[in-house]
Amino acid sequence: MTERDNEKSLSEINNTVSINTDGKFSRKLLSFLGPGLLIAVGYMDPGNWITSMQGGAQFGYMLLFVILLSSLAAMLLQSMAVRLGIATNMDLAQATKHYLNKPFTYVFWIITELAIIATDIAEVIGSAIALYLLFDIPLLVGSIITVLDVFLLLFIMHFGFRKIEAIVGTLIFTVLIIFLFEVYIASPSVTHMLNGFVPQTEIITNNSALYIALGIIGATIMPHNLYLHSSIVQSRMYDRNDDKAKKNAVKFATLDSNIQLIIAFVINCLLLVLGAALFYGANTEQLGGFFDLYHALRTEPALGATMGAIMSTLFAVALLASGQNSTITGTMAGQIVMEGFINLKIPNWARRLITRGIAILPIIICLIVFKSNTEKVEQLLVFSQVFLSIALPFSLVPLQLATNDKKLMGIFKNKRWVNIISWCLIVILSILNVYLIVQTFQEL
């Protein structure tokens, strides 16, 4: 390896956050809490909201089992990214580079960059729609406004990585509280909810249920999250040369990841429960997109005019909070893959402006050509999710190979059961994503 290849991942935050090594278990855990919050953002992305709501509206609570299954898969894959970062002092992009010659390195880099841009497209659309619903700002203007969050992120980063974690955590808990309130008002059946976590054969035998179930699973694992997690776990100040210290770091970083993914799991369940409690058996045709869902909540007879207005407004606020969270994680992931794959460093403001500029270009073209047709804009979001599905194997396979490499991982190498489950996940997720891509284009 060259000297450049040995550079720290995200050097401005690497090894900057102190940890408690002598205190109680709770204090040690608290010092590691944070990176998992940034990862959890990808599991409650606006692109997944409609799928969960539609699943509840069309099939009641039955697909809660699918959310549980996909969340457990996410925990395993993210824990592998944690081990990779702590054991090797490299992120996934740097580790992937070990297995590729120069031309393929650029291919993987371009695919991963496009996946990040696709994620950014979903964020821009979600934020622009939220601004329109809350303040009646035209979609075109709202899309351009999202460029300004570049400067917001740069301002936040001056205060340290812990502040970024705190802001992301605040936004996540805003979304959680909003949906807890909305589900409470909707008064779902607790018995039916619990039964939803029991697997049912109808999920497989009913083609419509299977399609939505695959949508929930296929959109769960986001490629950029694996790169991001393998890097930001290195922000903690554990001893890089002591295996015992690394084991401790892996333990607490994995706990952090699992705790935050449980929160994401709860939010996704709340979305499905809300759809089931309010719309199951009726009005399912009203849930085609964000606008449809907003108006369905606003006009739902069971809520009444006042509560319907409150619930729909809170939904738009949650959508805006989710979009802003993605701003932070997308920028950092982009920096990681650019530096990790091709050793290219550019200022953060330039990196963000380029990524966001590329992301809003197809949205602006779509808005101008189709005269702000909301259906076409939301269709563009679907296309962005399709590309994420295509890019996923390019992240999962290198992660599996790297974490099972004895020379690279040492004592942190995958256990046999991890290899078996992770390879099964890779094959299943790849097949499901191909199926989803085919089905998506057939629906258009």
Side-chain angles (χ1 to χ4, degrees):
M1 290 194 302
T2 67
E3 185 179 347
R4 294 282 317 257
D5 290 330
N6 280 318
E7 289 187 359
K8 294 179 180 178
S9 178
L10 282 183
S11 56
E12 64 268 30
I13 68 165
N14 195 295
N15 202 29
T16 60
V17 179
S18 61
I19 59 174
N20 192 321
T21 57
D22 300 320
K24 296 180 180 179
F25 177 88
S26 58
R27 291 181 180 177
K28 291 179 182 179
L29 177 59
L30 186 62
S31 63
F32 276 92
L33 290 179
L37 285 167
L38 277 70
I39 300 309
V41 169
Y43 293 91
M44 55 186 85
D45 183 84
N48 296 330
W49 288 22
I50 299 302
T51 304
S52 294
M53 291 289 289
Q54 284 182 334
Q58 295 181 30
F59 304 104
Y61 306 96
M62 181 174 66
L63 298 180
L64 284 172
F65 170 74
V66 177
I67 295 178
L68 174 61
L69 198 64
S70 59
S71 296
L72 291 174
M75 288 180 185
L76 176 64
L77 293 172
Q78 294 298 158
S79 70
M80 292 168 64
V82 165
R83 273 192 297 110
L84 174 67
I86 294 174
T88 66
N89 300 322
M90 294 190 295
D91 57 56
L92 180 57
Q94 292 170 329
T96 302
K97 191 176 177 182
H98 281 287
Y99 299 98
L100 304 173
N101 57 28
K102 194 168 185 177
F104 276 102
T105 296
Y106 278 93
V107 170
F108 272 64
W109 170 61
I110 291 171
I111 291 173
T112 307
E113 286 284 5
L114 290 174
I116 292 171
I117 291 169
T119 303
D120 222 29
I121 287 174
E123 173 208 329
V124 172
I125 292 174
S127 296
I129 290 175
L131 290 172
Y132 174 80
L133 295 175
L134 289 170
F135 308 111
D136 203 27
I137 296 175
L139 290 177
L140 181 59
V141 177
S143 299
I144 296 172
I145 287 175
T146 63
V147 176
L148 299 178
D149 62 29
V150 174
F151 305 103
L152 175 63
L153 175 61
L154 293 175
F155 176 75
I156 294 171
M157 291 189 77
H158 281 296
F159 295 94
F161 190 58
R162 265 303 207 188
K163 298 296 188 298
I164 293 177
E165 293 172 346
I167 291 170
V168 169
T170 301
L171 291 173
I172 286 177
F173 280 100
T174 298
V175 175
L176 175 63
I177 291 169
I178 286 173
F179 284 119
L180 278 171
F181 172 75
E182 296 204 336
V183 168
Y184 172 77
I185 296 300
S187 301
S189 167
V190 176
T191 302
H192 290 160
M193 281 175 54
L194 295 176
N195 288 337
F197 291 106
V198 178
Q200 300 180 37
T201 55
E202 188 182 348
I203 297 175
I204 298 175
T205 57
N206 184 317
N207 286 336
S208 297
L210 178 62
Y211 179 67
I212 292 184
L214 296 181
I216 293 172
I217 296 173
T220 294
I221 312 297
M222 307 287 274
H224 76 280
N225 258 351
L226 301 172
Y227 295 95
L228 180 64
H229 209 175
S230 61
S231 177
I232 60 178
V233 292
Q234 299 177 52
S235 62
R236 270 43 186 180
M237 298 172 67
Y238 52 86
D239 188 343
R240 265 58 176 172
N241 299 312
D242 181 9
D243 282 346
K244 184 178 179 180
K246 286 185 175 183
K247 280 185 178 180
N248 203 48
V250 168
K251 173 185 174 181
F252 285 103
T254 302
L255 279 172
D256 167 47
S257 174
N258 290 343
I259 289 170
Q260 315 306 346
L261 288 178
I262 287 172
I263 295 173
F265 161 73
V266 170
I267 290 176
N268 287 325
C269 287
L270 290 173
L271 285 163
L272 189 142
V273 167
L274 186 63
L278 292 180
F279 306 113
Y280 181 47
N283 298 330
T284 55
E285 71 281 354
Q286 296 182 23
L287 301 179
F290 292 120
F291 286 96
D292 298 331
L293 179 54
Y294 174 84
H295 291 300
L297 285 169
R298 197 173 189 86
T299 59
E300 173 58 33
L303 295 175
T306 302
M307 189 53 66
I310 292 173
M311 299 240 325
S312 59
T313 300
L314 288 176
F315 170 81
V317 171
L319 181 61
L320 184 60
S322 181
Q324 291 311 298
N325 257 344
S326 299
T327 292
I328 297 172
T329 58
T331 299
M332 297 177 73
Q335 182 181 346
I336 290 163
V337 301
M338 180 177 286
E339 294 179 5
F341 277 118
I342 62 172
N343 295 326
L344 177 61
K345 291 190 175 185
I346 61 175
N348 282 333
W349 64 266
R351 160 84 218 176
R352 191 62 190 144
L353 280 175
I354 292 171
T355 303
R356 180 50 58 90
I358 295 174
I360 68 170
L361 189 60
I363 299 171
I364 291 175
I365 293 173
C366 181
L367 288 170
I368 293 174
V369 171
F370 296 105
K371 299 179 180 179
S372 296
N373 185 310
T374 58
E375 184 179 340
K376 295 294 184 182
V377 173
E378 290 179 337
Q379 198 173 86
L380 182 61
L381 189 150
V382 173
F383 278 117
S384 73
Q385 300 305 300
V386 168
F387 187 83
L388 287 175
S389 296
I390 296 172
L392 188 58
F394 290 87
S395 303
L396 292 182
V397 173
L399 176 65
Q400 165 60 34
L401 293 175
T403 53
N404 196 44
D405 189 331
K406 179 71 173 178
K407 292 182 179 179
L408 202 62
M409 299 290 292
I411 63 172
F412 298 95
K413 176 180 176 290
N414 286 345
K415 298 183 186 306
R416 180 174 295 181
W417 69 268
V418 172
N419 282 329
I420 294 172
I421 296 176
S422 62
W423 273 120
C424 288
L425 282 174
I426 291 170
V427 172
I428 292 171
L429 286 171
S430 298
I431 292 173
L432 294 185
N433 282 327
V434 170
Y435 177 83
L436 279 172
I437 292 166
V438 172
Q439 289 294 105
T440 299
F441 281 103
Q442 288 179 346
E443 291 286 330
L444 296 177

